[in-house]
PDB file of all heavy atoms in Angstrom:
ATOM      1  N   PRO A 138       0.855  -1.203  -0.031  1.00 97.00           N
ATOM      2  CA  PRO A 138      -0.008   0.003  -0.020  1.00 97.00           C
ATOM      3  C   PRO A 138       0.893   1.287  -0.011  1.00 97.00           C
ATOM      4  O   PRO A 138       2.019   1.195   0.320  1.00 97.00           O
ATOM      5  CB  PRO A 138      -0.766  -0.096   1.321  1.00 97.00           C
ATOM      6  CG  PRO A 138       0.176  -0.850   2.262  1.00 97.00           C
ATOM      7  CD  PRO A 138       0.879  -1.865   1.328  1.00 97.00           C
ATOM      8  N   PRO A 139       0.242   2.398  -0.345  1.00 96.00           N
ATOM      9  CA  PRO A 139       1.063   3.608  -0.177  1.00 96.00           C
ATOM     10  C   PRO A 139       1.523   3.850   1.265  1.00 96.00           C
ATOM     11  O   PRO A 139       0.930   3.289   2.186  1.00 96.00           O
ATOM     12  CB  PRO A 139       0.005   4.727  -0.522  1.00 96.00           C
ATOM     13  CG  PRO A 139      -0.998   4.048  -1.353  1.00 96.00           C
ATOM     14  CD  PRO A 139      -1.039   2.627  -0.815  1.00 96.00           C
ATOM     15  N   VAL A 140       2.602   4.581   1.463  1.00 96.00           N
ATOM     16  CA  VAL A 140       3.181   4.765   2.807  1.00 96.00           C
ATOM     17  C   VAL A 140       2.195   5.275   3.796  1.00 96.00           C
ATOM     18  O   VAL A 140       2.137   4.799   4.916  1.00 96.00           O
ATOM     19  CB  VAL A 140       4.430   5.729   2.676  1.00 96.00           C
ATOM     20  CG1 VAL A 140       4.876   6.153   4.101  1.00 96.00           C
ATOM     21  CG2 VAL A 140       5.598   5.111   1.938  1.00 96.00           C
ATOM     22  N   GLU A 141       1.408   6.250   3.385  1.00 96.00           N
ATOM     23  CA  GLU A 141       0.406   6.867   4.319  1.00 96.00           C
ATOM     24  C   GLU A 141      -0.576   5.810   4.765  1.00 96.00           C
ATOM     25  O   GLU A 141      -1.000   5.864   5.966  1.00 96.00           O
ATOM     26  CB  GLU A 141      -0.345   7.991   3.604  1.00 96.00           C
ATOM     27  CG  GLU A 141       0.560   9.185   3.286  1.00 96.00           C
ATOM     28  CD  GLU A 141       0.805  10.068   4.494  1.00 96.00           C
ATOM     29  OE1 GLU A 141       0.055   9.921   5.503  1.00 96.00           O
ATOM     30  OE2 GLU A 141       1.770  10.890   4.416  1.00 96.00           O
ATOM     31  N   ARG A 142      -1.064   4.917   3.892  1.00 97.00           N
ATOM     32  CA  ARG A 142      -1.988   3.915   4.320  1.00 97.00           C
ATOM     33  C   ARG A 142      -1.418   2.852   5.215  1.00 97.00           C
ATOM     34  O   ARG A 142      -1.994   2.422   6.191  1.00 97.00           O
ATOM     35  CB  ARG A 142      -2.634   3.232   3.116  1.00 97.00           C
ATOM     36  CG  ARG A 142      -3.563   4.091   2.278  1.00 97.00           C
ATOM     37  CD  ARG A 142      -4.436   3.312   1.430  1.00 97.00           C
ATOM     38  NE  ARG A 142      -5.346   2.453   2.216  1.00 97.00           N
ATOM     39  CZ  ARG A 142      -6.002   1.370   1.700  1.00 97.00           C
ATOM     40  NH1 ARG A 142      -5.804   1.039   0.411  1.00 97.00           N
ATOM     41  NH2 ARG A 142      -6.810   0.713   2.397  1.00 97.00           N
ATOM     42  N   ALA A 143      -0.119   2.543   4.934  1.00 97.00           N
ATOM     43  CA  ALA A 143       0.582   1.614   5.890  1.00 97.00           C
ATOM     44  C   ALA A 143       0.766   2.243   7.188  1.00 97.00           C
ATOM     45  O   ALA A 143       0.650   1.521   8.264  1.00 97.00           O
ATOM     46  CB  ALA A 143       1.935   1.230   5.265  1.00 97.00           C
ATOM     47  N   ALA A 144       1.017   3.503   7.349  1.00 97.00           N
ATOM     48  CA  ALA A 144       1.173   4.176   8.607  1.00 97.00           C
ATOM     49  C   ALA A 144      -0.134   4.232   9.365  1.00 97.00           C
ATOM     50  O   ALA A 144      -0.094   4.305  10.664  1.00 97.00           O
ATOM     51  CB  ALA A 144       1.675   5.651   8.362  1.00 97.00           C
ATOM     52  N   ASP A 145      -1.233   4.171   8.716  1.00 96.00           N
ATOM     53  CA  ASP A 145      -2.537   4.099   9.393  1.00 96.00           C
ATOM     54  C   ASP A 145      -2.616   2.914  10.356  1.00 96.00           C
ATOM     55  O   ASP A 145      -3.410   2.932  11.382  1.00 96.00           O
ATOM     56  CB  ASP A 145      -3.668   4.070   8.387  1.00 96.00           C
ATOM     57  CG  ASP A 145      -3.892   5.347   7.670  1.00 96.00           C
ATOM     58  OD1 ASP A 145      -3.428   6.374   8.174  1.00 96.00           O
ATOM     59  OD2 ASP A 145      -4.552   5.313   6.585  1.00 96.00           O
ATOM     60  N   LEU A 146      -1.862   1.860  10.062  1.00 97.00           N
ATOM     61  CA  LEU A 146      -1.923   0.664  10.893  1.00 97.00           C
ATOM     62  C   LEU A 146      -1.396   0.918  12.271  1.00 97.00           C
ATOM     63  O   LEU A 146      -1.604   0.107  13.214  1.00 97.00           O
ATOM     64  CB  LEU A 146      -1.061  -0.460  10.193  1.00 97.00           C
ATOM     65  CG  LEU A 146      -1.582  -1.047   8.906  1.00 97.00           C
ATOM     66  CD1 LEU A 146      -0.543  -1.835   8.220  1.00 97.00           C
ATOM     67  CD2 LEU A 146      -2.836  -1.917   9.257  1.00 97.00           C
ATOM     68  N   PHE A 147      -0.663   1.977  12.517  1.00 96.00           N
ATOM     69  CA  PHE A 147      -0.081   2.243  13.810  1.00 96.00           C
ATOM     70  C   PHE A 147      -0.879   3.154  14.710  1.00 96.00           C
ATOM     71  O   PHE A 147      -0.686   3.222  15.896  1.00 96.00           O
ATOM     72  CB  PHE A 147       1.301   2.895  13.606  1.00 96.00           C
ATOM     73  CG  PHE A 147       2.362   1.946  12.987  1.00 96.00           C
ATOM     74  CD1 PHE A 147       2.413   1.707  11.639  1.00 96.00           C
ATOM     75  CD2 PHE A 147       3.199   1.208  13.845  1.00 96.00           C
ATOM     76  CE1 PHE A 147       3.326   0.859  11.140  1.00 96.00           C
ATOM     77  CE2 PHE A 147       4.102   0.309  13.298  1.00 96.00           C
ATOM     78  CZ  PHE A 147       4.162   0.138  11.946  1.00 96.00           C
ATOM     79  N   THR A 148      -1.836   3.912  14.085  1.00 96.00           N
ATOM     80  CA  THR A 148      -2.488   4.958  14.847  1.00 96.00           C
ATOM     81  C   THR A 148      -3.428   4.443  15.954  1.00 96.00           C
ATOM     82  O   THR A 148      -4.255   3.580  15.744  1.00 96.00           O
ATOM     83  CB  THR A 148      -3.279   5.882  13.900  1.00 96.00           C
ATOM     84  OG1 THR A 148      -2.407   6.377  12.871  1.00 96.00           O
ATOM     85  CG2 THR A 148      -3.899   7.047  14.653  1.00 96.00           C
ATOM     86  N   ARG A 149      -3.247   5.068  17.129  1.00 95.00           N
ATOM     87  CA  ARG A 149      -4.026   4.624  18.312  1.00 95.00           C
ATOM     88  C   ARG A 149      -5.464   5.201  18.151  1.00 95.00           C
ATOM     89  O   ARG A 149      -5.747   6.232  17.597  1.00 95.00           O
ATOM     90  CB  ARG A 149      -3.414   5.294  19.554  1.00 95.00           C
ATOM     91  CG  ARG A 149      -4.129   5.021  20.845  1.00 95.00           C
ATOM     92  CD  ARG A 149      -3.325   5.572  22.030  1.00 95.00           C
ATOM     93  NE  ARG A 149      -2.081   4.881  22.199  1.00 95.00           N
ATOM     94  CZ  ARG A 149      -0.969   5.398  22.780  1.00 95.00           C
ATOM     95  NH1 ARG A 149      -0.974   6.666  23.227  1.00 95.00           N
ATOM     96  NH2 ARG A 149       0.119   4.733  22.891  1.00 95.00           N
ATOM     97  N   GLY A 150      -6.437   4.400  18.684  1.00 90.00           N
ATOM     98  CA  GLY A 150      -7.867   4.821  18.704  1.00 90.00           C
ATOM     99  C   GLY A 150      -8.183   5.662  19.932  1.00 90.00           C
ATOM    100  O   GLY A 150      -7.369   6.496  20.337  1.00 90.00           O
ATOM    101  N   ASP A 151      -9.343   5.451  20.500  1.00 89.00           N
ATOM    102  CA  ASP A 151      -9.733   6.280  21.617  1.00 89.00           C
ATOM    103  C   ASP A 151      -8.998   5.996  22.912  1.00 89.00           C
ATOM    104  O   ASP A 151      -8.936   6.864  23.784  1.00 89.00           O
ATOM    105  CB  ASP A 151     -11.220   6.070  21.872  1.00 89.00           C
ATOM    106  CG  ASP A 151     -12.102   6.581  20.739  1.00 89.00           C
ATOM    107  OD1 ASP A 151     -11.668   7.465  20.031  1.00 89.00           O
ATOM    108  OD2 ASP A 151     -13.185   5.967  20.580  1.00 89.00           O
ATOM    109  N   SER A 152      -8.460   4.797  23.057  1.00 93.00           N
ATOM    110  CA  SER A 152      -7.674   4.484  24.286  1.00 93.00           C
ATOM    111  C   SER A 152      -6.448   3.674  23.967  1.00 93.00           C
ATOM    112  O   SER A 152      -6.368   3.004  22.954  1.00 93.00           O
ATOM    113  CB  SER A 152      -8.582   3.719  25.264  1.00 93.00           C
ATOM    114  OG  SER A 152      -9.029   2.485  24.641  1.00 93.00           O
ATOM    115  N   MET A 153      -5.484   3.787  24.830  1.00 95.00           N
ATOM    116  CA  MET A 153      -4.206   3.028  24.752  1.00 95.00           C
ATOM    117  C   MET A 153      -4.389   1.581  25.197  1.00 95.00           C
ATOM    118  O   MET A 153      -4.994   1.285  26.152  1.00 95.00           O
ATOM    119  CB  MET A 153      -3.188   3.734  25.609  1.00 95.00           C
ATOM    120  CG  MET A 153      -1.795   3.075  25.536  1.00 95.00           C
ATOM    121  SD  MET A 153      -0.610   3.858  26.742  1.00 95.00           S
ATOM    122  CE  MET A 153      -1.154   3.008  28.283  1.00 95.00           C
ATOM    123  N   ILE A 154      -3.758   0.691  24.467  1.00 94.00           N
ATOM    124  CA  ILE A 154      -3.609  -0.688  24.849  1.00 94.00           C
ATOM    125  C   ILE A 154      -2.441  -0.782  25.805  1.00 94.00           C
ATOM    126  O   ILE A 154      -1.287  -0.532  25.434  1.00 94.00           O
ATOM    127  CB  ILE A 154      -3.404  -1.647  23.685  1.00 94.00           C
ATOM    128  CG1 ILE A 154      -4.432  -1.463  22.632  1.00 94.00           C
ATOM    129  CG2 ILE A 154      -3.317  -3.082  24.169  1.00 94.00           C
ATOM    130  CD1 ILE A 154      -4.126  -2.151  21.283  1.00 94.00           C
ATOM    131  N   PRO A 155      -2.638  -1.011  27.124  1.00 94.00           N
ATOM    132  CA  PRO A 155      -1.519  -0.989  28.108  1.00 94.00           C
ATOM    133  C   PRO A 155      -0.612  -2.171  27.930  1.00 94.00           C
ATOM    134  O   PRO A 155      -1.050  -3.310  27.616  1.00 94.00           O
ATOM    135  CB  PRO A 155      -2.226  -0.966  29.453  1.00 94.00           C
ATOM    136  CG  PRO A 155      -3.485  -1.643  29.195  1.00 94.00           C
ATOM    137  CD  PRO A 155      -3.961  -1.343  27.794  1.00 94.00           C
ATOM    138  N   CYS A 156       0.655  -1.966  28.218  1.00 94.00           N
ATOM    139  CA  CYS A 156       1.607  -3.069  28.271  1.00 94.00           C
ATOM    140  C   CYS A 156       1.422  -3.751  29.603  1.00 94.00           C
ATOM    141  O   CYS A 156       1.301  -3.107  30.623  1.00 94.00           O
ATOM    142  CB  CYS A 156       3.070  -2.554  28.150  1.00 94.00           C
ATOM    143  SG  CYS A 156       4.309  -3.835  28.331  1.00 94.00           S
ATOM    144  N   PRO A 157       1.349  -5.075  29.639  1.00 92.00           N
ATOM    145  CA  PRO A 157       1.180  -5.733  30.947  1.00 92.00           C
ATOM    146  C   PRO A 157       2.357  -5.706  31.860  1.00 92.00           C
ATOM    147  O   PRO A 157       2.253  -6.054  33.027  1.00 92.00           O
ATOM    148  CB  PRO A 157       0.893  -7.234  30.515  1.00 92.00           C
ATOM    149  CG  PRO A 157       1.532  -7.378  29.212  1.00 92.00           C
ATOM    150  CD  PRO A 157       1.425  -6.035  28.528  1.00 92.00           C
ATOM    151  N   LYS A 158       3.498  -5.205  31.404  1.00 93.00           N
ATOM    152  CA  LYS A 158       4.699  -5.288  32.180  1.00 93.00           C
ATOM    153  C   LYS A 158       5.481  -3.970  32.334  1.00 93.00           C
ATOM    154  O   LYS A 158       6.045  -3.719  33.438  1.00 93.00           O
ATOM    155  CB  LYS A 158       5.636  -6.289  31.512  1.00 93.00           C
ATOM    156  CG  LYS A 158       6.891  -6.623  32.351  1.00 93.00           C
ATOM    157  CD  LYS A 158       7.712  -7.736  31.600  1.00 93.00           C
ATOM    158  CE  LYS A 158       8.962  -8.108  32.433  1.00 93.00           C
ATOM    159  NZ  LYS A 158       9.730  -9.172  31.689  1.00 93.00           N
ATOM    160  N   SER A 159       5.471  -3.125  31.323  1.00 96.00           N
ATOM    161  CA  SER A 159       6.419  -1.963  31.329  1.00 96.00           C
ATOM    162  C   SER A 159       5.802  -0.664  31.858  1.00 96.00           C
ATOM    163  O   SER A 159       4.633  -0.459  31.730  1.00 96.00           O
ATOM    164  CB  SER A 159       6.890  -1.709  29.899  1.00 96.00           C
ATOM    165  OG  SER A 159       7.544  -2.872  29.373  1.00 96.00           O
ATOM    166  N   THR A 160       6.707   0.105  32.383  1.00 97.00           N
ATOM    167  CA  THR A 160       6.357   1.494  32.811  1.00 97.00           C
ATOM    168  C   THR A 160       6.873   2.502  31.816  1.00 97.00           C
ATOM    169  O   THR A 160       7.664   2.222  30.910  1.00 97.00           O
ATOM    170  CB  THR A 160       6.912   1.819  34.195  1.00 97.00           C
ATOM    171  OG1 THR A 160       8.340   1.899  34.047  1.00 97.00           O
ATOM    172  CG2 THR A 160       6.505   0.768  35.177  1.00 97.00           C
ATOM    173  N   VAL A 161       6.455   3.739  31.983  1.00 97.00           N
ATOM    174  CA  VAL A 161       6.939   4.868  31.116  1.00 97.00           C
ATOM    175  C   VAL A 161       8.417   5.046  31.300  1.00 97.00           C
ATOM    176  O   VAL A 161       9.147   5.435  30.369  1.00 97.00           O
ATOM    177  CB  VAL A 161       6.164   6.145  31.458  1.00 97.00           C
ATOM    178  CG1 VAL A 161       6.855   7.342  30.824  1.00 97.00           C
ATOM    179  CG2 VAL A 161       4.740   6.045  30.886  1.00 97.00           C
ATOM    180  N   LEU A 162       8.982   4.676  32.501  1.00 97.00           N
ATOM    181  CA  LEU A 162      10.397   4.814  32.710  1.00 97.00           C
ATOM    182  C   LEU A 162      11.165   3.890  31.745  1.00 97.00           C
ATOM    183  O   LEU A 162      12.234   4.258  31.251  1.00 97.00           O
ATOM    184  CB  LEU A 162      10.795   4.436  34.208  1.00 97.00           C
ATOM    185  CG  LEU A 162      12.290   4.635  34.507  1.00 97.00           C
ATOM    186  CD1 LEU A 162      12.731   6.082  34.320  1.00 97.00           C
ATOM    187  CD2 LEU A 162      12.501   4.139  35.877  1.00 97.00           C
ATOM    188  N   PHE A 163      10.621   2.735  31.423  1.00 96.00           N
ATOM    189  CA  PHE A 163      11.214   1.826  30.479  1.00 96.00           C
ATOM    190  C   PHE A 163      11.243   2.506  29.087  1.00 96.00           C
ATOM    191  O   PHE A 163      12.293   2.462  28.403  1.00 96.00           O
ATOM    192  CB  PHE A 163      10.421   0.517  30.386  1.00 96.00           C
ATOM    193  CG  PHE A 163      10.811  -0.354  29.260  1.00 96.00           C
ATOM    194  CD1 PHE A 163      11.994  -1.036  29.248  1.00 96.00           C
ATOM    195  CD2 PHE A 163       9.928  -0.513  28.156  1.00 96.00           C
ATOM    196  CE1 PHE A 163      12.350  -1.847  28.130  1.00 96.00           C
ATOM    197  CE2 PHE A 163      10.235  -1.279  27.074  1.00 96.00           C
ATOM    198  CZ  PHE A 163      11.493  -2.004  27.015  1.00 96.00           C
ATOM    199  N   ALA A 164      10.197   3.197  28.729  1.00 95.00           N
ATOM    200  CA  ALA A 164      10.141   3.909  27.462  1.00 95.00           C
ATOM    201  C   ALA A 164      11.144   4.956  27.385  1.00 95.00           C
ATOM    202  O   ALA A 164      11.881   5.218  26.429  1.00 95.00           O
ATOM    203  CB  ALA A 164       8.762   4.444  27.186  1.00 95.00           C
ATOM    204  N   TYR A 165      11.241   5.758  28.528  1.00 96.00           N
ATOM    205  CA  TYR A 165      12.199   6.875  28.595  1.00 96.00           C
ATOM    206  C   TYR A 165      13.684   6.288  28.441  1.00 96.00           C
ATOM    207  O   TYR A 165      14.471   6.884  27.717  1.00 96.00           O
ATOM    208  CB  TYR A 165      12.100   7.613  29.954  1.00 96.00           C
ATOM    209  CG  TYR A 165      10.937   8.524  30.044  1.00 96.00           C
ATOM    210  CD1 TYR A 165      10.620   9.030  31.348  1.00 96.00           C
ATOM    211  CD2 TYR A 165      10.126   8.850  28.993  1.00 96.00           C
ATOM    212  CE1 TYR A 165       9.530   9.898  31.515  1.00 96.00           C
ATOM    213  CE2 TYR A 165       9.043   9.745  29.186  1.00 96.00           C
ATOM    214  CZ  TYR A 165       8.754  10.237  30.464  1.00 96.00           C
ATOM    215  OH  TYR A 165       7.759  11.104  30.576  1.00 96.00           O
ATOM    216  N   PHE A 166      13.974   5.260  29.164  1.00 96.00           N
ATOM    217  CA  PHE A 166      15.321   4.750  29.140  1.00 96.00           C
ATOM    218  C   PHE A 166      15.642   4.185  27.762  1.00 96.00           C
ATOM    219  O   PHE A 166      16.793   4.369  27.291  1.00 96.00           O
ATOM    220  CB  PHE A 166      15.524   3.622  30.202  1.00 96.00           C
ATOM    221  CG  PHE A 166      16.968   3.172  30.363  1.00 96.00           C
ATOM    222  CD1 PHE A 166      17.794   3.840  31.214  1.00 96.00           C
ATOM    223  CD2 PHE A 166      17.380   2.032  29.704  1.00 96.00           C
ATOM    224  CE1 PHE A 166      19.174   3.455  31.317  1.00 96.00           C
ATOM    225  CE2 PHE A 166      18.697   1.581  29.824  1.00 96.00           C
ATOM    226  CZ  PHE A 166      19.632   2.349  30.580  1.00 96.00           C
ATOM    227  N   ALA A 167      14.728   3.489  27.176  1.00 93.00           N
ATOM    228  CA  ALA A 167      14.970   2.877  25.803  1.00 93.00           C
ATOM    229  C   ALA A 167      15.303   4.041  24.841  1.00 93.00           C
ATOM    230  O   ALA A 167      16.260   3.891  24.036  1.00 93.00           O
ATOM    231  CB  ALA A 167      13.725   2.157  25.345  1.00 93.00           C
ATOM    232  N   GLN A 168      14.540   5.086  24.808  1.00 91.00           N
ATOM    233  CA  GLN A 168      14.833   6.211  23.934  1.00 91.00           C
ATOM    234  C   GLN A 168      16.210   6.846  24.229  1.00 91.00           C
ATOM    235  O   GLN A 168      16.985   7.121  23.316  1.00 91.00           O
ATOM    236  CB  GLN A 168      13.766   7.289  23.943  1.00 91.00           C
ATOM    237  CG  GLN A 168      14.016   8.436  22.969  1.00 91.00           C
ATOM    238  CD  GLN A 168      13.247   9.651  23.279  1.00 91.00           C
ATOM    239  OE1 GLN A 168      12.793   9.915  24.386  1.00 91.00           O
ATOM    240  NE2 GLN A 168      13.042  10.487  22.235  1.00 91.00           N
ATOM    241  N   TRP A 169      16.421   7.035  25.478  1.00 93.00           N
ATOM    242  CA  TRP A 169      17.614   7.835  25.929  1.00 93.00           C
ATOM    243  C   TRP A 169      18.859   7.085  25.522  1.00 93.00           C
ATOM    244  O   TRP A 169      19.805   7.632  24.933  1.00 93.00           O
ATOM    245  CB  TRP A 169      17.530   8.027  27.422  1.00 93.00           C
ATOM    246  CG  TRP A 169      18.793   8.664  27.954  1.00 93.00           C
ATOM    247  CD1 TRP A 169      19.138  10.046  27.867  1.00 93.00           C
ATOM    248  CD2 TRP A 169      19.832   8.066  28.809  1.00 93.00           C
ATOM    249  NE1 TRP A 169      20.311  10.257  28.507  1.00 93.00           N
ATOM    250  CE2 TRP A 169      20.786   9.095  29.096  1.00 93.00           C
ATOM    251  CE3 TRP A 169      20.021   6.808  29.251  1.00 93.00           C
ATOM    252  CZ2 TRP A 169      21.872   8.854  29.867  1.00 93.00           C
ATOM    253  CZ3 TRP A 169      21.136   6.552  30.024  1.00 93.00           C
ATOM    254  CH2 TRP A 169      21.994   7.553  30.323  1.00 93.00           C
ATOM    255  N   PHE A 170      19.019   5.809  25.860  1.00 88.00           N
ATOM    256  CA  PHE A 170      20.305   5.178  25.613  1.00 88.00           C
ATOM    257  C   PHE A 170      20.487   4.762  24.167  1.00 88.00           C
ATOM    258  O   PHE A 170      21.605   4.802  23.657  1.00 88.00           O
ATOM    259  CB  PHE A 170      20.514   3.981  26.646  1.00 88.00           C
ATOM    260  CG  PHE A 170      20.382   2.613  26.022  1.00 88.00           C
ATOM    261  CD1 PHE A 170      21.460   1.950  25.434  1.00 88.00           C
ATOM    262  CD2 PHE A 170      19.148   1.923  25.996  1.00 88.00           C
ATOM    263  CE1 PHE A 170      21.319   0.719  24.870  1.00 88.00           C
ATOM    264  CE2 PHE A 170      19.030   0.655  25.511  1.00 88.00           C
ATOM    265  CZ  PHE A 170      20.104   0.046  24.930  1.00 88.00           C
ATOM    266  N   THR A 171      19.410   4.464  23.455  1.00 88.00           N
ATOM    267  CA  THR A 171      19.570   4.104  22.032  1.00 88.00           C
ATOM    268  C   THR A 171      19.804   5.299  21.174  1.00 88.00           C
ATOM    269  O   THR A 171      20.484   5.178  20.121  1.00 88.00           O
ATOM    270  CB  THR A 171      18.326   3.373  21.529  1.00 88.00           C
ATOM    271  OG1 THR A 171      17.190   4.102  21.685  1.00 88.00           O
ATOM    272  CG2 THR A 171      18.187   2.002  22.267  1.00 88.00           C
ATOM    273  N   ASP A 172      19.240   6.420  21.484  1.00 84.00           N
ATOM    274  CA  ASP A 172      19.449   7.675  20.681  1.00 84.00           C
ATOM    275  C   ASP A 172      20.899   8.101  20.723  1.00 84.00           C
ATOM    276  O   ASP A 172      21.310   8.927  19.905  1.00 84.00           O
ATOM    277  CB  ASP A 172      18.553   8.783  21.125  1.00 84.00           C
ATOM    278  CG  ASP A 172      17.182   8.747  20.418  1.00 84.00           C
ATOM    279  OD1 ASP A 172      16.901   7.781  19.789  1.00 84.00           O
ATOM    280  OD2 ASP A 172      16.449   9.804  20.528  1.00 84.00           O
ATOM    281  N   GLY A 173      21.672   7.591  21.667  1.00 83.00           N
ATOM    282  CA  GLY A 173      23.127   7.888  21.677  1.00 83.00           C
ATOM    283  C   GLY A 173      23.880   7.259  20.505  1.00 83.00           C
ATOM    284  O   GLY A 173      24.914   7.783  20.079  1.00 83.00           O
ATOM    285  N   PHE A 174      23.393   6.043  20.018  1.00 85.00           N
ATOM    286  CA  PHE A 174      24.200   5.410  18.914  1.00 85.00           C
ATOM    287  C   PHE A 174      23.323   5.069  17.728  1.00 85.00           C
ATOM    288  O   PHE A 174      23.833   4.750  16.660  1.00 85.00           O
ATOM    289  CB  PHE A 174      24.852   4.148  19.448  1.00 85.00           C
ATOM    290  CG  PHE A 174      23.919   3.111  20.083  1.00 85.00           C
ATOM    291  CD1 PHE A 174      23.329   2.185  19.283  1.00 85.00           C
ATOM    292  CD2 PHE A 174      23.725   3.101  21.410  1.00 85.00           C
ATOM    293  CE1 PHE A 174      22.496   1.236  19.859  1.00 85.00           C
ATOM    294  CE2 PHE A 174      22.891   2.158  22.009  1.00 85.00           C
ATOM    295  CZ  PHE A 174      22.238   1.272  21.253  1.00 85.00           C
TER     296      PHE A 174
END
């Protein structure tokens, strides 16, 4: 499909599907240490 239509597959609806395990701190750390390299 066109790029824009493929990107539609990622868009969140009215509510977030929660991760059963992770906190926002995990998300922060993942971005922080990987953006270094």
Side-chain angles (χ1 to χ4, degrees):
V140 169
E141 294 281 345
R142 290 199 65 198
D145 289 340
L146 291 165
F147 290 84
T148 303
R149 180 177 293 156
D151 295 334
S152 61
M153 181 187 78
I154 304 167
C156 178
K158 186 175 182 181
S159 301
T160 67
V161 167
L162 184 61
F163 169 72
Y165 284 169
F166 187 84
Q168 181 198 23
W169 176 73
F170 106 87
T171 59
D172 271 13
F174 57 88

